[in-house]
Amino acid sequence: MTEPVVRIPDAKVALSTASVYPESTATAFEIAARLGYDGVEVMVWTDPVSQDVEALRRLSDYHQVPILAVHAPCLLITQRVWSTDPWVKLQRARAAAEKLGASTVVVHPPFRWQRGYARDFVRGIWRMAEETDVRFAVENMYPWRYRDREMLAYAPDWDVTKDDYRHFTVDLSHTSTARTDALAMVDRMGDRLAHIHLADGNGSAKDEHLVPGRGKQPCAEVLERLATRGFDGHVVIEVNTRRAMSAAEREADLAEALAFTRLHLASPTGVPRP
């Protein structure tokens, strides 16, 4: 008998529906099924299908692609999706996750101008987490920059490791935009890291979401480090394919991202022994 040279962790690799924009949520399920992704993360935004739990269930059943996570509508363009009350948005995201069998709700920290929401955010996330088996995984963000000016747009902080949350999401495009050390952030998150948005970046002030391996972030190193820890959360490909010249080019980018992730999400266990 010999021991395996490589250990593959239990982490599932999912496709964010945002990765096919400007194509539809329905297209993301179709591509995820065709390329062999383990599931999808639904970005709840202006596409009506992304907001409709029954429509999402039908897509999941038809394509035989499970919904692993729900991204709450936290973006500027989704301020009126599922209510203007941010706590109602999170309650609806949790309900959707429970109905769809998703284990995780991804949530951004509040914008600074959402003062009441920001003031109670840390305590409120803990309260909601204690009411469900769904994990609320709070995502790292970044300062907003324009030329030489920097604005802190998120509260309590864009660096979510400065506050006490039960679960975290690390986004490697956001670490690039923040110009922070991704590996150090992963280490600070420790066992509370439940979810990964895998993408790359070159340190631009813009949130680039490049295909992993095309920028300067340590995407491979992060995956390999998590593999050695036996990470069993979700790795979600969340990349920008808006510049794809065709559906075939978009699909090739998403196939490349999946192959990169599976290649590096493995842990060497040493040489075989008799």
Side-chain angles (χ1 to χ4, degrees):
M1 295 289 292
T2 59
E3 294 181 355
V5 178
V6 173
R7 182 189 301 113
I8 308 298
D10 292 333
K12 290 183 169 58
V13 183
L15 178 66
S16 168
T17 58
S19 294
V20 306
Y21 183 83
E23 297 293 338
S24 66
T25 300
T27 300
F29 279 86
E30 180 182 342
I31 292 175
R34 187 157 55 241
L35 295 181
Y37 278 83
D38 298 319
V40 301
E41 174 180 302
V42 174
M43 171 70 80
V44 180
W45 57 0
T46 53
D47 181 348
V49 171
S50 75
Q51 305 170 30
D52 186 331
V53 172
E54 291 307 314
L56 292 170
R57 191 199 308 277
R58 288 193 295 271
L59 282 170
S60 178
D61 290 345
Y62 178 78
H63 292 287
Q64 293 296 290
V65 174
I67 297 170
L68 302 180
V70 173
H71 195 311
C74 306
L75 307 176
L76 283 173
I77 63 170
T78 60
Q79 291 300 289
R80 296 187 177 276
V81 172
W82 279 1
S83 173
T84 56
D85 183 330
W87 291 115
V88 172
K89 291 173 181 284
L90 295 190
Q91 289 164 1
R92 292 191 63 174
R94 180 191 66 191
E98 290 171 342
K99 291 176 182 176
L100 294 167
S103 63
T104 304
V105 167
V106 178
V107 57
H108 292 179
F111 294 111
R112 295 190 74 86
W113 56 83
Q114 296 174 302
R115 294 181 181 177
Y117 179 44
R119 188 165 48 247
D120 193 43
F121 183 69
V122 178
R123 292 188 300 271
I125 290 292
W126 271 99
R127 284 196 300 269
M128 293 192 72
E130 289 168 353
E131 296 170 354
T132 179
D133 290 333
V134 173
R135 299 176 294 189
F136 284 89
V138 185
E139 183 175 359
N140 62 300
M141 298 305 291
Y142 47 84
W144 289 2
R145 294 189 179 92
Y146 179 69
R147 294 181 180 172
D148 295 328
R149 300 183 64 184
E150 183 175 288
M151 183 176 78
L152 301 179
Y154 299 96
D157 203 287
W158 62 263
D159 182 350
V160 294
T161 64
K162 293 182 178 180
D163 291 286
D164 180 28
Y165 299 110
R166 179 176 289 179
H167 293 111
F168 291 113
T169 296
V170 68
D171 184 305
L172 298 190
S173 179
H174 294 176
T175 57
S176 175
T177 305
R179 299 169 189 167
T180 193
D181 186 326
L183 287 166
M185 179 168 281
V186 165
D187 286 343
R188 290 197 302 275
M189 290 178 173
D191 292 340
R192 292 182 290 171
L193 175 57
H195 204 70
I196 300 170
H197 281 168
L198 191 66
D200 217 328
N202 288 310
S204 167
K206 296 180 180 179
D207 187 15
E208 297 170 283
H209 283 276
L210 304 178
V211 170
R214 297 185 185 178
K216 298 177 180 178
Q217 287 297 287
C219 297
E221 292 89 340
V222 166
L223 292 171
E224 290 162 5
R225 182 170 297 187
L226 292 175
T228 64
R229 297 179 184 176
F231 178 73
D232 61 357
H234 303 321
V235 180
V236 178
I237 303 302
E238 190 184 73
V239 296
N240 184 345
T241 63
R242 278 175 284 185
R243 293 185 179 180
M245 299 301 292
S246 66
E249 184 177 336
R250 173 175 293 108
E251 193 162 324
D253 284 347
L254 298 177
E256 179 184 330
L258 177 60
F260 178 99
T261 304
R262 292 224 164 108
L263 173 65
H264 294 287
L265 193 63
S267 169
T269 60
V271 297
R273 293 184 299 182

